[in-house]
Amino acid sequence: MTDTFMNRLHGSVIRLPRPIVICLLFCLLGFSCFSQVATIDDAWWSYQQDCNGDGCQAGTLAGDFARLYWNPDVVNCNGTLTVYEIVYFKSCASSSWTALYTNAPHTIIGCRSSDSQSLDVQMASGCACRDYKIEIYRTGHLQPDYVRSGTNDVDLLHHQEQLLAEDVCPNDDFEACVALAGSFGSRAAHNFDATKQPGEPNHAGDPGGKSLWFCWTAPTNTPVTFDTIGSTFDTLLAVYTGNTVSNLSLVASNDDIVPGQFVQSRLTFPPVQGTTYHIAVDGYGGASGIIALNWNQSGAPAPDLIIWGPAASPSFITRTFSSNDCEVVEGCATVGTHRLLTFTTETRNIGGGDLVLGNPATNSLFEWASCHGHYHFEQFADYTLLDTNGNVVAAGHKVGFCLEDVRAWSPTANPATRYNCNNQGIQAGWSDVYAAGLPCQYIDITGLDPGNYTLRMIVNPAGLIAESTTNNNVTEVPVTISVDCTAPVSNDNFSSPTLLSGPPLSHSQYNSCSSKEPGEPNHEGNSGGHSVWFTWTPASNQTAIVTTRRSDFDTLLAVYTGNTVSTLSLVASNDDLSSVIHQSAVSFDAAAGTVYRIAVDGFNGAVGTVLLNLNPPANDDFAAAFVIAGHAGSTKNYTIGASKEPGEPAHAFDVGGHSVWYRWTAPMSGPVEFNTAGSTFDTTLAIYTGTNVTGLSLVAANDDDTAAGLHTSRLSFDAEAGVTYQIAVDGYGGDFGNFNLNWNMVSQVSIAGTTNGAFEIDFSGVNGRRYALLVSTDLVTWFTQVVRTMSDNSQQFIDGSPGLLRFYRTILVP
C-alpha cells in the first residue's frame, strides 16, 4: 500500500452542500436544535455526451435532453417530511435565476430518501453556458429549507457538465463525423433531429432518413466488429471508405442481426491499418431513438472490473462532522454526530487489458473538487444498503479520485506499478483499494433499525467505462446492525401509539426495544413480549385490511376498541397467514369515527422489523390476481403495502418487493404491448405463463422505458389467442406508489383534412413493430402507401393528393 494511497482524499458526486447555520438560527429563535431540516443530499446527471471534445454537452435522450437526478435528505430527522423541489437555471454571465421546474410534493420516510427525483433538461442550441441550482421546500413553507449561494461551483460543485456548456451533436453530416478511437469502445447518441444529406446512400438498402456519421481509423489489421446493441429502435448500419458523401465505397452493411426478431445491427470486416472508415447509423423507415454504437477488434484485450467482496470487512463507527469538513461541503455528510457503516472497496481488473484513464485534467470523466484539491471521477461506484425484503434503506455515491495500481492480486500480474494519480488506471491483475475510514467511504445508517441487511456495491454503475462485460459488476455482502436500545420506543405503550393517517400506508419500525406493559392482553393468545401500538380512525365505513407482511419475524396482530389497556374489546386478531407464512393479517368492518387500537407483537417474544400495512392492494398475491380483458385497456392501482410471496420471481431481474398481479387472456393472436406510463414511481413489469407463483415461465420483462427516457416500464410480445398471461407490476429496488397498467394489441387509423386539401392519416400500434398503411379507392384493390416502424405508439402520414374517394387501413408486416 503506497503513501499516495494512504494519503489520498475523496469526495462526492455533484453533491450539494448542507445547511451549516440553520440549527444555530433555530436556537436563537427559541426552537429546538434538533428540528428537522430538508436538504439536497446529492445531484448528478446522465444521458450526456461531448460529441466533439469541445467541452460542450449534448443530451442523448430524444430532443437533445439530459437527465438531472437528485436525492432529498433530512437533517436531525425524527419522523416524516413532505417536500417539493424547484430547479432553477441562469446563464453563466447572469445573476438572475429562472425557475425551470417545480416537483410534485413527495414524502421522505425516515431519515433518507431512497428514491431519486429526476428531471429531463433540454440542452441549449448552439453552445450556451448555464448554471443550475435546486432548492427544497417543506409543504406549506414559502421559503426553502436551505438556500445555497448563487455560484455554480457551490450549487452543483465543480462538475464540468454543469459549468454548463451545451450543444447539439454535430455529426448529422458526413463532414462532421464524430471520431472514434482505439480498438474497442462505445458511443451514445440520439438521432431524433438527424437528417439525410443530398447524395447520401441508402444504408443497408433502406431509405432511412435520420443518419448520424462516425469515423474510425483502424489501429491494426485485426478484424473489427461494429454493432448497435443497446439502441432503442430498429437500426441500419453501414461502413464506407471515401472522402465525400456522394463518392463512397461500401465496405459492409447490416439491417437486422436476426431479421424480424433482433432489429439492431452488427457487421464485421477486416480493416487496413491506418485507413479511416466512415460509419453511418440510421433508423429503418426513419425510426429514431437512442443510439448505442459499439466496436471491438477481435483479440483486443479489454478491462473487466469487479469488486472483491471478501475485502469489504464491514464495521461501524460514530463520527461527528463540523461545518468545514470537506465531507460536509461536498455533501457526503451533515453537521453533527452520525453512525456510519464503513467498509473497504477493492476494485479488481480481471480482464485481459488495462483500464486506462490517463491524466484526469484532460479526461472529460473527471471534475475538479476545490475542497479536496484534486479531480473526482463521478459515479465510479454506487453503494446501497438493502433490508431483508430487498428494499433500499440507505445509499451512498462513491467517487473515484485516484485510480491506481495498489495491490497485485494475480500471481501473473505485471510486477511493476504502471498507474498513479497523475496517470490513472488499473492494470490487468491489479486492484485499486479504497480503505474503510477514507472520506466518504461509508454509508450513513443513523436511525436504521438493528437487524440483517445486505451491502450492495456496484462498480461502473452508469457504464461510463468500456469493459469486456458488465455482468459481474454487482457484489453483495451481508451486514448485521446490532441493537441499540438507548433511545425509548415512542409507541411502546398503549397511551402513546403511532397515529395512522392512511390508507393505504405502510409503516416500518423495529420492536426489539419495546416491551409489554401491566394489564396488556396476550395478543392472539400468545404471551409475546415486545409489542408496539398504533391507532386508526377511519373517515368512512369500509372493510379494513391490516397485515404485517414483509415483516422479518413471526408476528402477532390484534385490533381492539377501548380507552385503556386493561379494558379492551377484541375486534380481530391473527398469528400466521399460513403454515409457511408467519406474518399476520386481519379483515374487519370498520365504522367511521371509531378509534381502533392495533397491536403488533412477536410470537414467543420474537423481534425484528415490523411492517404494518393498512389496506394493501387486494391483488397482492398471485392467486388473487385481478382479471383484465380486451384488445386494449387501462387500469389504475397502487403497490403501497404490497409484498412478494415465497418463491416469487424477481420481476425484470430486480429484487423489487411490492408486487401486484393481473391476469389477461389474449382475445386474438398477434403483438401486444403492456406499459406503466403515467405511474408515480420506478416500476418493473413482467409477463408470465403458468398456474402457480413458483412454476412460472417468463414471456417478457422490462425495467425502464429507455426509448421514452422514463423509469416506467414498456414491453411487447407475440400473444397467442386463448392463452392466459400473468402480469406482475413491482417497483425497482423496492420502490412503490400509484401506477397505471395499459395494454394494446390493435392498430387504429384516424383521418383529418388539412387546409390545403391534403389528408393527415394517424395510425397507432405496438411500439417497435412495422405497419404498412394501405390505400384503396374501391375496398378491393389495396396499395402500400408507406411502411413505418411504430414509435411512441403512433405514426403520421400526409397524403398530398387524396383524390375524391380514398380508404385506409393498416396491416402488420415482417
Side-chain angles (χ1 to χ4, degrees):
M1 192 175 298
T2 65
D3 290 338
T4 301
F5 166 71
M6 288 298 292
N7 294 325
R8 60 184 174 174
L9 300 175
H10 128 286
S12 167
V13 293
I14 322 176
R15 295 197 173 161
L16 308 181
R18 304 294 188 133
I20 297 172
V21 298
I22 292 292
C23 186
L24 293 175
L25 177 61
F26 278 15
C27 288
L28 291 173
L29 294 176
F31 294 99
S32 167
C33 281
F34 294 97
S35 298
Q36 297 186 97
V37 178
T39 70
I40 301 298
D41 171 43
D42 51 50
W44 67 100
W45 294 77
S46 66
Y47 299 104
Q48 282 188 314
Q49 60 178 329
D50 182 356
C51 301
N52 55 0
D54 64 355
C56 299
Q57 298 298 320
T60 60
L61 296 177
D64 196 28
F65 281 82
R67 183 163 297 160
L68 171 62
Y69 295 90
W70 67 92
N71 274 350
D73 203 349
V74 179
V75 179
N76 298 325
C77 73
N78 54 35
T80 297
L81 283 186
T82 300
V83 300
Y84 66 95
E85 300 86 17
I86 301 178
V87 180
Y88 296 87
F89 78 95
K90 69 176 182 65
S91 65
C92 296
S94 172
S95 60
S96 177
W97 291 98
T98 300
L100 175 67
Y101 172 76
T102 300
N103 196 22
H106 58 97
T107 301
I108 303 175
I109 301 174
C111 296
R112 187 168 191 154
S113 172
S114 61
D115 182 21
S116 299
Q117 308 296 308
S118 66
L119 169 67
D120 289 350
V121 179
Q122 188 168 37
M123 302 289 97
S125 60
C127 188
C129 182
R130 289 181 178 173
D131 292 340
Y132 290 82
K133 71 174 180 178
I134 306 172
E135 292 180 351
I136 187 167
Y137 294 74
R138 279 185 277 182
T139 300
H141 288 211
L142 299 179
Q143 294 295 323
D145 266 29
Y146 179 50
V147 181
R148 290 160 296 285
S149 72
T151 63
N152 181 79
D153 289 347
V154 175
D155 286 321
L156 286 173
L157 202 58
H158 290 267
H159 186 319
Q160 184 176 351
E161 293 171 0
Q162 272 57 67
L163 293 177
L164 250 177
E166 304 167 325
D167 67 2
V168 176
C169 285
N171 59 325
D172 187 7
D173 293 339
F174 173 88
E175 295 77 12
C177 63
V178 168
L180 310 176
S183 297
F184 65 92
S186 61
R187 169 73 68 167
H190 74 79
N191 70 333
F192 183 80
D193 298 314
T195 59
K196 284 188 73 169
Q197 296 172 257
E200 182 174 340
N202 290 338
H203 311 299
D206 185 84
K210 293 180 177 292
S211 61
L212 292 180
W213 287 91
F214 305 85
C215 40
W216 174 74
T217 301
T220 70
N221 293 328
T222 305
V224 62
T225 297
F226 282 83
D227 67 59
T228 61
I229 296 173
S231 301
T232 61
F233 63 102
D234 188 345
T235 60
L236 306 167
L237 178 64
V239 178
Y240 304 89
T241 56
N243 296 322
T244 66
V245 73
S246 58
N247 188 28
L248 297 175
S249 296
L250 179 65
V251 176
S253 67
N254 178 250
D255 174 10
D256 295 342
I257 296 175
V258 180
Q261 299 181 37
F262 199 162
V263 296
Q264 281 72 50
S265 313
R266 181 168 57 205
L267 55 81
T268 300
F269 65 95
V272 176
Q273 184 175 3
T275 298
T276 296
Y277 295 88
H278 292 271
I279 301 99
V281 180
D282 205 340
Y284 183 91
S288 62
I290 297 175
I291 291 172
L293 179 61
N294 317 290
W295 70 100
N296 188 23
Q297 284 189 287
S298 301
D304 181 15
L305 304 181
I306 66 166
I307 294 178
W308 183 243
S313 302
S315 61
F316 305 94
I317 62 172
T318 299
R319 277 193 56 189
T320 300
F321 296 95
S322 63
S323 60
N324 59 355
D325 285 338
C326 283
E327 287 151 281
V328 172
V329 174
E330 295 183 351
C332 289
T334 59
V335 174
T337 300
H338 300 271
R339 193 180 189 199
L340 308 176
L341 167 63
T342 67
F343 46 91
T344 294
T345 301
E346 179 178 339
T347 304
R348 293 185 173 185
N349 181 1
I350 65 172
D354 290 3
L355 168 64
V356 182
L357 296 174
N359 184 352
T362 58
N363 187 327
S364 62
L365 293 176
F366 288 81
E367 299 86 34
W368 179 255
S370 58
C371 187
H372 278 132
H374 56 224
Y375 285 93
H376 283 173
F377 175 19
E378 182 183 330
Q379 294 188 39
F380 175 67
D382 270 354
Y383 302 146
T384 53
L385 193 65
L386 311 178
D387 64 15
T388 54
N389 294 306
N391 301 314
V392 177
V393 294
H397 286 279
K398 174 64 178 177
V399 175
F401 59 91
C402 179
L403 298 172
E404 60 179 339
D405 295 332
V406 174
R407 178 176 300 137
W409 60 268
S410 171
T412 61
N414 186 334
T417 60
R418 182 177 298 170
Y419 301 103
N420 52 44
C421 293
N422 295 320
N423 178 35
Q424 297 195 22
I426 308 173
Q427 287 189 80
W430 284 74
S431 60
D432 182 39
V433 180
Y434 293 90
L438 283 172
C440 299
Q441 182 62 29
Y442 49 70
I443 294 178
D444 189 342
I445 59 169
T446 305
L448 277 185
D449 293 326
N452 296 322
Y453 296 85
T454 298
L455 170 63
R456 174 184 289 173
M457 301 176 283
I458 307 176
V459 66
N460 191 23
L464 300 177
I465 299 172
E467 300 182 64
S468 59
T469 180
T470 57
N471 294 333
N472 52 10
N473 287 21
V474 179
T475 298
E476 294 186 345
V477 176
V479 174
T480 299
I481 298 179
S482 59
V483 177
D484 180 4
C485 291
T486 56
V489 179
S490 61
N491 60 339
D492 187 7
N493 293 327
F494 173 88
S495 59
S496 57
T498 294
L499 177 65
L500 303 179
S501 58
L505 63 79
S506 184
H507 176 87
S508 173
Q509 72 173 95
Y510 203 70
N511 76 326
S512 176
C513 300
S514 62
S515 61
K516 287 187 71 170
E517 56 189 301
E520 182 175 342
N522 289 336
H523 311 298
E524 187 58 8
N526 185 272
S527 58
H530 296 274
S531 61
V532 288
W533 287 91
F534 306 85
T535 63
W536 173 57
T537 305
S540 61
N541 294 335
Q542 58 188 279
T543 299
I545 299 173
V546 183
T547 80
T548 61
R549 297 191 68 158
R550 291 183 295 111
S551 299
D552 59 7
F553 65 106
D554 188 346
T555 61
L556 304 168
L557 174 64
V559 180
Y560 304 91
T561 57
N563 295 322
T564 65
V565 72
S566 57
T567 60
L568 295 175
S569 297
L570 180 66
V571 175
S573 65
N574 178 251
D575 176 12
D576 296 336
L577 277 163
S578 69
S579 60
V580 295
I581 301 177
H582 297 297
Q583 286 74 49
S584 315
V586 297
S587 176
F588 61 96
D589 293 326
T594 300
V595 179
Y596 293 94
R597 319 284 184 170
I598 304 169
V600 179
D601 206 338
F603 183 84
N604 288 341
V607 297
T609 302
V610 174
L611 269 300
L612 182 69
N613 312 296
L614 180 57
N615 285 4
N619 58 335
D620 185 6
D621 289 344
F622 175 87
F626 288 169
V627 175
I628 56 177
H631 300 88
S634 181
T635 187
K636 298 179 181 291
N637 203 347
Y638 57 86
T639 59
I640 302 166
S643 61
K644 289 187 71 169
E645 301 173 73
E648 182 174 339
H651 309 302
F653 311 104
D654 180 78
V655 291
H658 300 273
S659 62
V660 293
W661 289 91
Y662 293 86
R663 192 161 292 134
W664 176 75
T665 301
M668 65 181 188
S669 295
V672 61
E673 177 183 282
F674 282 82
N675 68 67
T676 60
S679 302
T680 64
F681 64 102
D682 188 347
T683 61
T684 59
L685 178 64
I687 313 291
Y688 304 90
T689 56
T691 57
N692 63 78
V693 74
T694 58
L696 297 174
S697 297
L698 180 65
V699 175
N702 177 254
D703 172 16
D704 291 338
D705 184 357
T706 54
L710 300 173
H711 287 307
T712 51
S713 310
R714 186 182 299 272
L715 57 79
S716 65
F717 63 96
D718 290 315
E720 296 182 33
V723 173
T724 297
Y725 295 93
Q726 317 291 344
I727 300 109
V729 179
D730 205 339
Y732 181 83
D735 205 355
F736 57 87
N738 300 307
F739 69 87
N740 299 327
L741 179 64
N742 316 291
W743 65 100
N744 176 52
M745 66 181 313
V746 295
S747 179
Q748 297 177 330
V749 179
S750 64
I751 306 172
T754 65
T755 56
N756 60 3
F759 283 172
E760 177 185 309
I761 298 95
D762 294 285
F763 55 104
S764 64
V766 177
N767 275 327
R769 302 304 176 107
R770 294 177 186 171
Y771 292 84
L773 177 65
L774 307 183
V775 61
S776 175
T777 59
D778 57 8
L779 294 176
V780 176
T781 303
W782 292 88
F783 300 95
T784 299
Q785 191 77 56
V786 69
V787 176
R788 295 278 176 83
T789 298
M790 197 58 60
S791 176
D792 292 332
N793 295 113
S794 65
Q795 285 285 355
Q796 183 186 88
F797 175 75
I798 303 296
D799 192 341
S801 55
L804 295 177
L805 188 63
R806 301 275 264 187
F807 303 95
Y808 299 90
R809 67 185 178 98
T810 59
I811 62 171
L812 276 166
V813 296

